[in-house]
Amino acid sequence: MDQILIIDDDVALCELVAEYLEPLGFAIEAVHQGNAGVERALSGGHSLVVLDVMLPGLNGFEVLRQIRAQSQIPVLMLTARGDDIDRIVGLEIGADDYLPKPFNPRELAARISAILRRAQPDKHQGESRTILVGDVEIDSGARVVRRGGQVVDLTSVEYDLLERLMRSAGRIVTREELSKDVLGRNASPYDRSIDMHISNLRKKLAPGVGSVECIKTVRGVGYIYAQTDRD
């Protein structure tokens, strides 16, 4: 059973979410303050965190920063509807996805399920397979990424983006394809999620001396994972 941690000071909302999610097979724990949320998120006992931006004291962004400093546990942020800045900042810090308030519990459940599917190794895949393009290597069974032999810590979304792009190395992958294949939803005109995740991925894959940027932007279309002369 997947353990879901909700960090939100709205007690009634937490209770309603628990009432909806528990019959679907999720175990729910709710905490209502940022510091306690960080401690519980880092305890290792949860599969995913649902984190509200608007928290008293330690706000959601700082909670996420502290979690990301030590853990890649999937985090779904709850943001104010129409507040694009909150969404962008959350994604920059390392949120896996966001959902504007107020939300439909069915949509929350769908987002949680999609994130958890991404975060777990493919049980039907069998033996691990290696994808190697240039000096970046993916162990698809263990979901481990290395560049130049060094492990790169990625969130579940970042990993899936990288794998999708590397499997299509040398070919353009549109934003619409990435949104559908990685986030599990159709892209909307003003959704910056894919762009922000790509930006974070580029930072983590920062090229060393003599290396080149792996992921190229095709303006107005999408992205391409550049093949090198060694491929």
Side-chain angles (χ1 to χ4, degrees), residues 28 44 67 71 78 110 120 122 126 132 139 163 180 192 216:
I28 306 300
I67 292 173
S71 172
L78 302 177
Q120 296 170 357
D122 186 350
L132 179 63
D139 179 340
E163 182 174 355
K180 189 171 182 179
R192 295 283 309 281
K216 307 291 187 181

Side-chain angles (χ1 to χ4, degrees), residues 42 47 67-75 93-94 96 119 152-158 204:
L42 296 177
S47 303
I67 292 173
R68 280 291 171 260
Q70 300 183 56
S71 172
Q72 295 299 325
I73 184 173
V75 176
I93 297 172
D96 290 77
V152 182
D153 289 326
L154 302 180
T155 66
S156 61
V157 178
E158 292 162 359
K204 292 183 178 183

Side-chain angles (χ1 to χ4, degrees), residues 108-217:
L108 176 64
R111 295 288 182 94
I112 289 173
S113 295
I115 293 172
L116 290 175
R117 281 196 301 272
R118 293 195 303 262
Q120 296 170 357
D122 186 350
K123 296 177 181 178
H124 304 289
Q125 185 170 307
E127 294 183 0
S128 298
R129 289 181 290 178
T130 297
I131 306 169
L132 179 63
V133 184
D135 62 349
V136 179
E137 176 185 357
I138 286 180
D139 179 340
S140 61
R143 292 177 66 88
V144 172
V145 175
R146 294 179 177 85
R147 181 161 201 183
Q150 300 297 312
V151 173
V152 182
D153 289 326
L154 302 180
T155 66
S156 61
V157 178
E158 292 162 359
Y159 172 88
D160 284 341
L161 275 173
L162 181 61
E163 182 174 355
R164 178 67 176 83
L165 289 167
M166 286 181 66
R167 287 188 184 278
S168 302
R171 302 195 304 272
I172 296 171
V173 184
T174 68
R175 286 184 178 83
E176 289 74 16
E177 289 175 307
L178 290 173
S179 184
K180 189 171 182 179
D181 294 347
V182 175
L183 299 181
R185 62 175 186 266
N186 294 326
S188 63
Y190 303 106
D191 190 344
R192 295 283 309 281
S193 299
I194 290 296
D195 300 317
M196 297 309 305
H197 288 307
I198 290 287
S199 175
N200 291 340
L201 185 54
R202 281 172 166 158
K203 292 173 185 175
K204 292 183 178 183
L205 290 173
V209 176
S211 298
V212 297
E213 183 68 68
C214 307
I215 303 170
K216 307 291 187 181
T217 300

Side-chain angles (χ1 to χ4, degrees), residues 30-145:
V31 295
H32 310 299
Q33 294 191 1
N35 287 322
V38 172
E39 180 179 352
R40 294 303 299 142
L42 296 177
S43 69
H46 304 89
S47 303
L48 179 143
V49 175
V50 177
L51 172 62
D52 188 25
V53 170
M54 300 300 293
L55 290 170
L58 197 66
N59 68 35
F61 296 135
E62 185 56 35
V63 170
L64 181 57
R65 286 190 182 94
Q66 292 191 25
I67 292 173
R68 280 291 171 260
Q70 300 183 56
S71 172
Q72 295 299 325
I73 184 173
V75 176
L76 171 64
M77 293 208 78
L78 302 177
T79 67
R81 184 172 296 278
D83 198 336
D84 293 335
I85 297 300
D86 279 359
R87 300 174 194 177
I88 291 171
V89 171
L91 292 169
E92 285 179 336
I93 297 172
D96 290 77
D97 205 352
Y98 65 85
L99 188 62
K101 282 184 171 182
F103 54 82
N104 186 317
R106 181 179 296 179
E107 176 68 10
L108 176 64
R111 295 288 182 94
I112 289 173
S113 295
I115 293 172
L116 290 175
R117 281 196 301 272
R118 293 195 303 262
Q120 296 170 357
D122 186 350
K123 296 177 181 178
H124 304 289
Q125 185 170 307
E127 294 183 0
S128 298
R129 289 181 290 178
T130 297
I131 306 169
L132 179 63
V133 184
D135 62 349
V136 179
E137 176 185 357
I138 286 180
D139 179 340
S140 61
R143 292 177 66 88
V144 172
V145 175

Side-chain angles (χ1 to χ4, degrees), residues 1-5 17-29 47-48 105 108-114 116-117 120:
M1 179 180 292
D2 288 307
Q3 307 282 328
I4 308 299
L5 175 66
V17 169
E19 288 177 6
Y20 186 86
L21 293 180
E22 285 174 346
L24 299 178
F26 298 106
I28 306 300
E29 177 185 353
S47 303
L48 179 143
L108 176 64
R111 295 288 182 94
I112 289 173
S113 295
L116 290 175
R117 281 196 301 272
Q120 296 170 357

